[in-house]
């Protein structure tokens, strides 16, 4: 009899951590399931191993063996926000665009957020912060929303036998020139920003 997975899935990840001349391969095993509990509003609250095993009890024994070693940390997927900015506050990283692990883009997008803030706030006076953050929002809101949508599209489900990889969206991720785009939008909004590339010491021209 076929198993009704009801939105549940397991995902294995292999990541290489490199330090100087040594590297270590780390393997992560993720259990994904719908959660309507109050835990979803508390970032530091964990699911118990017992709950995880009960949720996946009809999965293959090898999956249960891996999940038995879980520490219950949460990975959250949230709908994209209409705006990442309110007044003089900006949300970045998981606070602004939590997403699943299927594309490995969570930390990448947090780094893009940080670079965007570096550019748009460069030389800003206190009375300019609000306007500069509107530029940040223009740069980031739609892009991170699209990454969330890409990540959801890459998630395995019972109706598809094809699991998309990061390569399916590689141009969107890896060909994006964030710093140049940020300088262009800043100048478009009349902020007259000039920025020197740290690596080449050349002026960034858009």
């Amino acid at each position: 009899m076929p198993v009704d997975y009801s939105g549940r899935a397991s995902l294995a990840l292999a990541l290489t951590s490199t330090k100087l001349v040594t590297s270590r391969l780390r393997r992560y095993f993720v259990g994904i399931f719908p959660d309507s509990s109050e835990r979803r509003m508390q970032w530091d609250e964990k699911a118990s191993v017992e709950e995880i095993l009960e949720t996946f009890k009809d999965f293959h024994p090898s999956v249960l063996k891996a999940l038995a070693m879980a520490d219950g940390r949460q990975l959250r997927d949230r709908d994209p926000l209409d705006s990442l900015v309110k007044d003089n506050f900006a949300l970045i990283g998981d606070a602004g665009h939590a997403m699943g692990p299927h594309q490995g883009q969570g930390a990448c997008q947090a780094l893009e957020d940080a670079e965007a803030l570096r550019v748009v706030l460069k030389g800003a006076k206190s009375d300019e912060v609000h306007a500069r953050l509107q530029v940040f929002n223009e740069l980031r809101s739609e892009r991170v929303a699209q990454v969330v949508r890409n990540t959801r599209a890459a998630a395995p489900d019972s109706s598809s036998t094809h699991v998309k990889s990061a390569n399916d969206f590689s141009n969107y991720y890896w060909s994006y020139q964030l710093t140049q785009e940020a300088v262009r939008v800043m100048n478009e909004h009349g902020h007259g920003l000039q920025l020197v590339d740290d690596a080449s010491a050349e002026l960034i021209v858009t």
Side-chain angles (χ1 to χ4, degrees):
M1 182 177 180
V3 175
D4 178 11
Y5 291 102
S6 301
R8 298 169 300 156
S10 59
L11 178 68
L13 304 172
L15 303 176
T16 301
S17 173
T18 303
K19 293 183 178 180
L20 297 178
V21 296
T22 63
S23 64
R24 176 182 297 177
L25 181 66
R26 296 178 181 271
R27 292 180 174 85
Y28 296 87
F29 208 87
V30 181
I32 300 169
F33 60 95
D35 182 16
S36 59
S37 72
E38 288 302 312
R39 178 179 56 236
R40 71 189 191 281
M41 302 304 294
Q42 305 296 328
W43 288 97
D44 58 348
E45 188 171 337
K46 296 182 178 181
S48 68
V49 173
E50 291 75 19
E51 179 187 358
I52 294 171
L53 292 177
E54 175 63 23
T55 300
F56 291 91
K57 62 184 179 183
D58 49 357
F59 276 53
H60 192 275
S62 62
V63 174
L64 297 180
K65 183 177 180 180
L67 290 177
M69 296 183 284
D71 66 4
R73 283 181 292 177
Q74 299 186 56
L75 292 174
R76 287 290 171 185
D77 170 274
R78 299 193 185 281
D79 291 337
L81 299 173
D82 293 333
S83 175
L84 297 172
V85 170
K86 183 175 182 181
D87 300 326
N88 282 3
F89 294 89
L91 294 175
I92 67 172
D94 281 353
H97 40 78
M99 62 189 73
H102 305 95
Q103 294 281 281
Q105 281 294 307
C108 294
Q109 293 308 307
L111 290 171
E112 285 192 12
D113 290 341
E115 173 64 2
L117 280 177
R118 180 185 79 90
V119 174
V120 303
L121 293 178
K122 183 176 176 60
K125 298 177 182 178
S126 59
D127 60 352
E128 297 174 326
V129 170
H130 179 74
R132 298 286 189 97
L133 288 181
Q134 299 309 308
V135 177
F136 170 81
N137 196 51
E138 181 178 332
L139 276 168
R140 300 301 298 152
S141 286
E142 176 51 34
R143 177 165 172 81
V144 295
Q146 185 59 54
V147 174
V148 170
R149 291 191 288 268
N150 290 352
T151 298
R152 289 177 176 177
D157 62 61
S158 57
S159 64
S160 174
T161 58
H162 173 60
V163 179
K164 296 183 178 67
S165 71
N167 291 332
D168 290 294
F169 306 106
S170 59
N171 284 339
Y172 190 78
Y173 298 144
W174 311 125
S175 65
Y176 182 60
Q177 300 295 318
L178 170 62
T179 305
Q180 288 85 340
E181 179 67 4
V183 171
R184 184 191 69 78
V185 175
M186 285 286 287
N187 290 329
E188 189 177 83
H189 283 267
H191 294 293
L193 179 68
Q194 289 190 332
L195 199 67
V196 174
D197 185 279
D198 292 335
S200 66
E202 296 179 353
L203 187 68
I204 294 176
V205 179
T206 61

